Amino acid sequence: MASPKVSQALKKIASSADKQQGYEALLKDIRSFSTPTALSKDLIAILDAIFDGSLGIVATRSLGVAYVQTLTSVPSNEVKIEVGEYALEKFQSQASSFEEQNAQIRELMATAYEDDEDFLASAKILSGIPLESSQRKVTNEDKVRFWIRITRNYLEVDDTTLAEQYLNKAKNLIYTVDDRDLNLHFNLCQARIQDARRNFLAAAQGYQEISLMPVIAEEERLHTLSMAIKCAVLAPAGPARSRALGRLYKDERASTLEEYSILEKMFLDRLLAPEEVEKFAKGLAPHQLAKTGDGSTVLQRAVIEHNLRGASRLYNNISFEALGLLLGLDGDKAEDTTAKMIEQGRLVGRIDQIERVIWFEGGEATGEKGSGRAEGVVGRELKKWDANVQGLAEEVEKITSELQLRYPDFVAANLVV
C-alpha cells in the first residue's frame, strides 16, 4: 500500500491529460513525496500504475527508462533489491520490449548484493541478463565484462565449477578485447581458479605474470608475487617446480617478502624445519590447507616431497627407517612416497626392498613418467669407477703433453717406453 501523498499523486495523474509527464515528474521528485520507510511500496505502486495505465508501449518504455534512473539514485540497497525483484516480474510480462531495462535492473541489484557481500545472489542475478538478442546489441567487450564479473562473484564463494564455466565463455572472446584492466581481471580469475583446483604450478606462473604488469599498484603486484611463491611452494616437488622456484628466486622483489626464506631453502634444496613450515602455513588460504586423499594437507605433502629431494642431495643411500625419521613418517610410508616420486619421474633413484635401502642417483629428474628409475647399484658404481679412471688418465696425458712442449729434452731422457 502506497503512502497517502503518493496515492493522491497517482490519482491526480490518472485523471490528467498527460499521464506520461505526470509519472515522470513524480519519479523525479519521489523523495519529496515519500519517506525512506515507505519508499519501496511507493515505487512499486508507481510501477503498477504505469503498467495499468494503458499508455502504449512507446510511452511505457520511456517511463521504464525513467523508473530505472530513479531506482539507481536510491541510496538504500534493501530498497533497490526489493523494488528490483518486483520490477523484473513486471518487465517479464513484456520481456522483448524491456530487455534493456531488465539488464539495467539486474546490474543495479547485482551491485547492491555485492555491497552487502552476497556474492552468490549477485552472480545469479547477473547470469539472467540476455547477451544475445536482436533487440539489444552487446559488444564482445561487454560480454567479457559480464562473464568476468560473474566469475569473480562465484570465486568469492569458492564455487570454482561455475566460475570456470563463465571464465571459459570469456576465454573465447578475450582475444578481441583491448581493455588492459579487463585482461588483467581475466588473468587473475584464471590464476585463482587454477589455485583453487590445486594446479599450483600454472597458478604460480599466472600470479607472477600479473605481478609484472605495470597497470596495477606496487602493493598489489607484491601481493600477487607473494601468491605466486605460495603456489610454487605447494606444487609437487620435481623439475617443473624447480624451474618455477628458480624464476621466483631470481625476481629481485621476492627478497622483500615474508615467504622469501622458505622460497630460498626450497630453491637450494635445503631441508625445512617444522617451525618454518608452521609459520608459512599461517599465511595460506583455507583451500591451500585442505586435506588430500591420504589425510595429509597439501602443504604437508609438499614439504615431505621437498625434504625427500633435499635428502637425495645429501645421501647416496639411506634406509627406509632413517628416511622416515627425517621426513616425519614411518619407514613404509617413506618408501611409498619415494616410489611414487621415482615412478612419476620427479626423483632419480632405486629401491632395494630386501635390504630396505633407497639409493639416490645424482642429477635432475626429467619429469617424464618412469624416467626416475636408476640402473642397478653395481652397474652404476662401476660406471662411476670407469669414469674416474678415464678422467685420471686424461689428466696424466695432459700433463705429459705439457711437459713435452716445455721440457722436450727432459722428457726424451726420462721417458720410459
Side-chain angles (χ1 to χ4, degrees):
M1 186 72 181
S3 62
K5 289 183 70 175
V6 170
S7 295
Q8 185 178 358
L10 289 175
K11 287 180 181 179
K12 184 177 180 180
I13 292 171
S15 60
S16 67
D18 194 343
K19 296 179 181 179
Q20 180 177 347
Q21 186 177 358
Y23 286 127
E24 288 175 350
L26 178 59
L27 287 170
K28 187 176 181 180
D29 298 330
I30 185 61
R31 293 194 191 182
S32 63
F33 284 87
S34 183
T35 62
T37 55
L39 187 57
S40 294
K41 293 180 179 179
D42 287 344
L43 287 172
I44 289 172
I46 293 171
L47 189 62
D48 283 337
I50 290 172
F51 273 85
D52 295 340
S54 302
L55 296 173
I57 189 61
V58 175
T60 305
R61 187 183 295 173
S62 177
L63 288 171
V65 173
Y67 191 85
V68 172
Q69 291 174 346
T70 298
L71 188 59
T72 302
S73 66
V74 172
S76 170
N77 288 331
E78 185 179 352
V79 172
K80 288 177 180 176
I81 292 169
E82 183 181 350
V83 176
E85 288 177 349
Y86 189 82
L88 290 178
E89 292 179 9
K90 278 290 184 181
F91 293 151
Q92 189 61 37
S93 61
Q94 302 180 49
S96 60
S97 300
F98 294 95
E99 283 189 0
E100 185 65 35
Q101 288 74 28
N102 173 71
Q104 290 172 346
I105 289 288
R106 287 181 179 274
E107 282 192 77
L108 190 63
M109 292 175 65
T111 301
Y113 280 128
E114 288 168 357
D115 290 342
D116 293 341
E117 297 186 357
D118 190 349
F119 300 106
L120 182 59
S122 178
K124 288 180 177 179
I125 203 73
L126 284 171
S127 63
I129 296 177
L131 300 181
E132 302 291 343
S133 172
S134 57
Q135 302 293 325
R136 180 169 171 266
K137 183 174 177 58
V138 182
T139 65
N140 286 348
E141 185 172 315
D142 288 335
K143 290 178 183 178
V144 170
R145 183 172 284 104
F146 276 119
W147 289 328
I148 289 179
R149 186 177 179 184
I150 294 171
T151 298
R152 294 176 69 184
N153 279 315
Y154 276 125
L155 284 173
E156 290 296 330
V157 293
D158 294 325
D159 191 338
T160 55
T161 302
L162 288 175
E164 190 169 24
Q165 286 183 15
Y166 283 96
L167 189 69
N168 286 338
K169 292 182 179 182
K171 189 180 295 183
N172 295 326
L173 294 177
I174 190 66
Y175 68 93
T176 66
V177 176
D178 295 327
D179 188 289
R180 292 191 303 174
D181 290 341
L182 207 52
N183 276 275
L184 170 64
H185 287 305
F186 174 83
N187 292 332
L188 184 58
C189 287
Q190 195 168 46
R192 288 181 64 185
I193 289 173
Q194 290 165 336
D195 183 358
R197 291 192 174 279
R198 299 182 189 171
N199 187 3
F200 292 119
L201 281 176
Q205 183 175 352
Y207 283 132
Q208 187 178 17
E209 289 174 355
I210 293 169
S211 76
L212 297 171
M213 293 182 178
V215 295
I216 58 178
E218 179 65 21
E219 184 179 351
E220 290 299 320
R221 279 187 278 173
L222 289 176
H223 175 70
T224 51
L225 181 62
S226 170
M227 292 300 298
I229 294 174
K230 290 175 183 176
C231 288
V233 168
L234 293 171
R241 191 190 70 163
S242 296
R243 290 191 292 272
L245 291 171
R247 289 194 299 269
L248 292 164
Y249 183 70
K250 293 172 185 176
D251 192 317
E252 295 178 354
R253 302 170 298 165
S255 60
T256 64
L257 301 174
E258 291 184 2
E259 297 81 8
Y260 181 72
S261 175
I262 197 168
L263 168 65
E264 183 178 37
K265 285 200 169 184
M266 281 201 157
F267 174 68
L268 299 176
D269 285 326
R270 296 173 182 169
L271 298 180
L272 295 173
E275 301 78 28
E276 294 174 298
V277 177
E278 185 178 350
K279 181 181 177 182
F280 177 75
K282 293 178 180 178
L284 297 180
H287 73 272
Q288 294 173 328
L289 293 170
K291 290 190 175 182
T292 59
D294 60 3
S296 63
T297 65
V298 177
L299 177 60
Q300 287 171 339
R301 184 178 63 184
V303 170
I304 287 170
E305 291 182 351
H306 166 75
N307 282 343
L308 178 52
R309 276 175 56 87
S312 73
R313 299 288 192 266
L314 295 174
Y315 299 94
N316 285 328
N317 58 74
I318 189 171
S319 68
F320 293 176
E321 287 70 26
L323 180 61
L325 186 63
L326 193 64
L327 301 179
L329 305 171
D330 58 54
D332 292 336
K333 185 65 176 176
E335 178 204 1
D336 183 57
T337 303
T338 306
K340 285 181 180 177
M341 290 185 67
I342 291 173
E343 181 62 28
Q344 293 168 359
R346 296 189 284 130
L347 184 71
V348 182
R350 179 178 180 273
I351 298 176
D352 186 337
Q353 292 182 314
I354 296 174
E355 297 294 334
R356 293 181 65 79
V357 172
I358 298 168
W359 293 80
F360 295 117
E361 178 74 36
E364 187 68 70
T366 64
E368 296 180 5
K369 188 175 182 180
S371 64
R373 298 174 189 156
E375 297 180 15
V377 177
V378 175
R380 187 187 69 189
E381 294 299 325
L382 284 175
K383 283 190 173 183
K384 283 186 177 180
W385 178 263
D386 290 344
N388 289 337
V389 170
Q390 181 180 347
L392 178 60
E394 288 175 354
E395 289 300 320
V396 171
E397 181 66 25
K398 287 179 183 178
I399 293 171
T400 304
S401 299
E402 190 69 22
L403 285 171
Q404 284 181 324
L405 287 173
R406 296 192 180 188
Y407 310 103
D409 296 337
F410 172 80
V411 174
N414 293 279
L415 181 63
V416 179
V417 181

